[in-house]
């Protein structure tokens, strides 16, 4: 097919590297190879029963038609109540829009605001989709490397240096995929002090992992630390990770009315409202019994502690304890320059990842995909047995290097 049939803004983007890594692992498994898949970025739990039942009831009640574009009143009330109860943030229903997942919320927010050449500051390591979403909207991703020594977090000095007259957005994801790093209220305040000097900069907070954290503390929100930023902040979240609802595709945006209205207009002319049945399920998730969160987070924590200890015991690998989310971002600098038994030199983290896959059948994602090397991301959203097997194999693959 002629590439010219595809618009330049789409030719600039690439498929999600984590999806490609998962596809490669599945292909090897189909060929009969034993694969330990540590790529997946979704909870391995089923959606809790009371949420599934709410969806079934919605179908029986005939809630199968178009809804308001912004989402049903019930869902937006549930989101508003959640924002007030959990985050201390007050939003009116016309400042909230439900979307088909946080992913489409973020893409759509760029789409309604970016003019060609507008810049979006993305601290790295970042979620793989951010830069490509910006490119797909004719924007320019401005990647700011946030090294491990600084906790993988953006500093005020780095933010100040990255802002130009073309800066349209700062994007913050806390706890972060892939590092699990999360900002404290004090760190947010310091970033906000910089932002206040640059009124043209909007802020998007991707709060999708807010509940998955390991220190029994609430994840602070930027707007708790800096309420003055409310009129230029879009708070993005959803039910995917918190309630094991990745397939239901419900996310949302809370923010100033003009931006939410523009999202409503764009989505009304593109995707339309998100799934009516999923909206009923999401409302039940937000309004209902919250015990699933504590139980699932306890399980993630056990896996994190166990896997972290095993990885840190492997010579050449090290990993900082993530505050939240369900990944380990493993530093593999100690393996770069080593040689595999068949004589290949490991020049970068992609080579390490390829060696793990080919020699011991462990699938992880290379740090290059997240904008900071040399690392690989390992998902702990799988059973302890699988994690144990994965760690044992990684140790074997590392031991055979010289
Ligand atoms: C940081 C981050 N934001 C957003 C999403 C997408 O969430 P949703 O399923 O709501 O589209 C993901 C999913 O992997 C993610 O890791």
């Amino acid at each position: 097919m002629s590439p010219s049939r595809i618009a330049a803004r789409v030719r600039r983007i690439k498929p999600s590297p984590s999806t490609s890594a998962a596809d490669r692992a599945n292909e090897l498994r189909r060929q009969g190879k034993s694969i330990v898949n540590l790529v997946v970025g979704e909870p391995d739990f089923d959606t809790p029963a009371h949420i599934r039942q709410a969806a079934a009831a919605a179908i029986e009640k005939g809630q199968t038609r178009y809804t308001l574009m912004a989402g049903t009143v019930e869902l937006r009330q549930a989101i508003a109540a959640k924002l007030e109860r959990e985050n201390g943030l007050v939003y009116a229903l016309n400042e909230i829009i439900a979307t088909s997942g946080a992913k489409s919320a973020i893409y759509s927010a760029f789409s309604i605001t970016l003019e060609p050449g507008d810049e979006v500051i993305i601290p790295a390591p970042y979620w793989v989709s951010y830069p490509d979403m910006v490119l797909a909207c004719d924007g320019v991703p401005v990647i700011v490397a946030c090294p491990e020594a600084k906790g993988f977090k953006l500093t005020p000095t780095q933010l100040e240096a990255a802002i130009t007259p073309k800066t349209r957005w700062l994007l913050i994801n806390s706890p972060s995929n892939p590092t699990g790093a999360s900002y404290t209220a004090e760190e947010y305040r310091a970033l906000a002090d910089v932002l206040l000097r640059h009124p043209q900069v909007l802020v998007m907070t991707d709060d999708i992992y807010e509940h998955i954290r390991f220190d029994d503390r609430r994840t602070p929100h930027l707007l708790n630390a800096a309420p003055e930023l409310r009129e230029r902040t879009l708070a993005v979240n959803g039910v995917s990770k918190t309630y094991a609802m990745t397939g239901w595709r419900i996310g949302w945006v809370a923010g100033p009315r003009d931006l939410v209205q523009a999202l409503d207009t764009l989505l009304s002319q593109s995707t339309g409202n998100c799934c009516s049945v999923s909206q009923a399920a999401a409302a039940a998730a937000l309004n209902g019994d919250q015990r699933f969160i504590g139980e699932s987070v306890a399980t993630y924590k056990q896996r994190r502690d166990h896997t972290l200890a095993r990885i840190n015991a492997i010579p050449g690998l090290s990993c900082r304890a993530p505050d939240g989310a369900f990944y380990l971002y493993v530093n593999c600098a100690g393996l770069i320059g080593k040689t595999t038994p068949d004589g290949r030199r490991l020049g970068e983290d992609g080579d390490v990842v390829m060696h793990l896959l080919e020699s011991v059948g462990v699938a992880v994602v290379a740090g290059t995909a997240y904008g900071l090397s040399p690392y690989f991301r390992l998902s702990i959203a799988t059973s302890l047995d699988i994690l144990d097997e994965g760690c044992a194999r990684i140790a074997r693959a590392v031991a055979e290097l010289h």
Side-chain angles (χ1 to χ4, degrees), residues 22-309:
D23 289 350
R24 209 163 48 240
N26 288 333
E27 178 52 34
L28 286 172
R29 192 174 272 161
R30 259 195 302 281
Q31 291 168 14
K33 202 166 171 179
S34 157
I35 298 293
V36 177
N37 186 346
L38 303 179
V39 167
V40 281
E42 62 179 334
D44 54 323
F45 305 109
D46 288 333
T47 303
H50 69 279
I51 300 174
R52 303 197 306 266
Q53 282 152 11
I59 293 174
E60 288 310 316
K61 282 189 278 185
Q63 293 175 8
T64 52
R65 300 198 158 81
Y66 292 133
T67 69
L68 290 170
M69 176 51 240
T72 61
V73 170
E74 292 72 25
L75 175 57
R76 279 178 298 142
Q77 279 172 339
I79 295 167
K82 171 258 180 283
L83 286 165
E84 186 160 8
R85 180 179 70 238
E86 297 180 350
N87 309 104
L89 302 175
V90 177
Y91 284 92
L93 293 202
N94 61 12
E95 295 176 309
I96 295 170
I97 183 166
T99 56
S100 299
K103 195 172 212 171
S104 89
I106 299 166
Y107 173 79
S108 306
F110 289 144
S111 181
I112 59 159
T113 51
L114 292 180
E115 299 289 357
D118 279 355
E119 295 173 359
V120 178
I121 297 176
I122 304 175
Y126 47 70
W127 180 39
V128 292
S129 295
Y130 297 145
D132 289 277
M133 287 180 181
V134 171
L135 291 170
C137 295
D138 286 329
V140 178
V142 174
I143 309 300
V144 181
C146 301
E148 187 175 346
K150 298 268 189 230
F152 296 121
K153 288 188 265 191
L154 183 70
T155 65
T157 312
Q158 285 181 303
L159 175 59
E160 184 71 67
I163 293 174
T164 75
K166 298 222 104 193
T167 306
R168 171 60 61 198
W169 286 100
L170 164 66
L171 180 46
I172 296 271
N173 172 218
S174 173
S176 133
N177 173 5
T179 67
S182 71
Y183 289 84
T184 63
E186 294 72 31
E187 288 165 340
Y188 272 145
R189 184 65 243 173
L191 293 174
D193 288 341
V194 175
L195 291 166
L196 289 173
R197 291 197 285 274
H198 301 278
Q200 88 278 13
V201 181
L202 303 169
V203 189
M204 200 178 319
T205 66
D206 178 347
D207 308 323
I208 199 89
Y209 293 101
E210 70 166 329
H211 283 292
I212 303 172
R213 58 180 301 141
F214 307 121
D215 56 8
D216 292 328
R217 277 195 251 139
R218 255 199 187 153
T219 301
H221 196 276
L222 172 70
L223 291 179
N224 304 144
E228 318 90 287
L229 293 175
R230 188 187 190 280
E231 281 310 298
R232 49 174 158 140
T233 298
L234 285 186
V236 178
N237 207 333
V239 292
S240 285
K241 316 285 177 174
T242 306
Y243 300 101
M245 291 179 70
T246 46
W248 300 77
R249 310 308 304 130
I250 297 290
W252 62 81
V253 177
R257 232 180 121 194
D258 61 330
L259 293 179
V260 169
Q261 184 56 53
L263 281 170
D264 192 298
T265 305
L266 176 75
L267 291 171
S268 74
Q269 298 292 23
S270 50
T271 63
N273 65 263
C274 49
C275 168
S276 60
V277 175
S278 295
Q279 290 190 53
L286 294 169
N287 290 336
D289 188 336
Q290 301 293 303
R291 266 176 304 179
F292 172 79
I293 301 178
E295 289 160 11
S296 55
V297 170
T299 304
Y300 293 132
K301 182 171 188 318
Q302 190 190 16
R303 294 169 178 173
R304 178 200 74 156
D305 292 347
H306 186 80
T307 312
L308 192 65

